[in-house]
Amino acid sequence: MATDVLSRVFAALADPTRRDIVTRLAAGDATVNQLAEPYRMTLQAVYKHLTVLEQAGVVSRPTGPQPRPVRLELEVFDLMDTWIERYRRQAEERYRRLDAVLAQMNEHATTSETEKGRAV
């Protein structure tokens, strides 16, 4: 279930216009007209981007009369953060193990050279 949500969220955020909309909404709620101002596209195209973000659960618009504010849904970002953090921790653990192996190899090489120096 969470994977399906993540797939929709990452797919929605793959588009640079949608990421820009998210960036702008991070500063505060905005109406569709306010969000559409900087873009060289029709209002209908902005609505299509918002619909994708809304279906992914990234933004929401309350029901009611226009103009309705668009707002970010923070729970999605928590879900993404949990997913990313899990793989970041695994990668960091793998690098720590590699560092330990390299340090052990370096220590072994240093010890071997010291022993060779004493034998000569």
Side-chain angles (χ1 to χ4, degrees):
M1 183 68 125
T3 302
D4 293 333
V5 172
L6 280 173
S7 295
R8 283 194 306 264
V9 170
F10 282 121
L13 295 176
D15 184 275
T17 300
R18 290 184 217 132
R19 286 194 307 273
D20 187 61
I21 289 172
V22 168
T23 299
R24 294 176 57 218
L25 288 172
D29 297 353
T31 64
V32 175
N33 284 332
Q34 290 169 328
L35 289 171
E37 283 174 10
Y39 304 119
R40 299 176 119 196
M41 62 178 73
T42 64
L43 192 59
Q44 186 178 15
V46 173
Y47 268 109
K48 285 184 180 180
H49 284 297
L50 287 174
T51 299
V52 172
L53 289 170
E54 205 168 11
Q55 289 174 342
V58 177
V59 300
S60 66
R61 286 182 285 170
T63 57
Q66 300 282 351
R68 299 179 298 169
V70 180
R71 63 180 51 121
L72 283 179
E73 291 298 325
L74 299 180
E75 296 82 22
V76 169
F77 294 100
D78 291 340
L79 185 65
M80 293 171 61
D81 190 46
T82 300
W83 187 85
I84 291 169
E85 184 64 24
R86 177 177 52 192
Y87 294 106
R88 188 182 66 79
R89 273 190 252 123
Q90 286 179 1
E92 285 178 352
E93 179 59 34
R94 200 176 74 228
Y95 288 129
R96 276 195 289 275
R97 287 193 310 261
L98 178 61
D99 285 345
V101 168
L102 292 174
Q104 192 176 25
M105 290 173 64
N106 190 29
E107 185 177 309
H108 178 70
T110 302
T111 303
S112 294
E113 286 181 23
T114 302
E115 289 174 359
K116 282 181 186 175
R118 287 183 190 155
V120 174

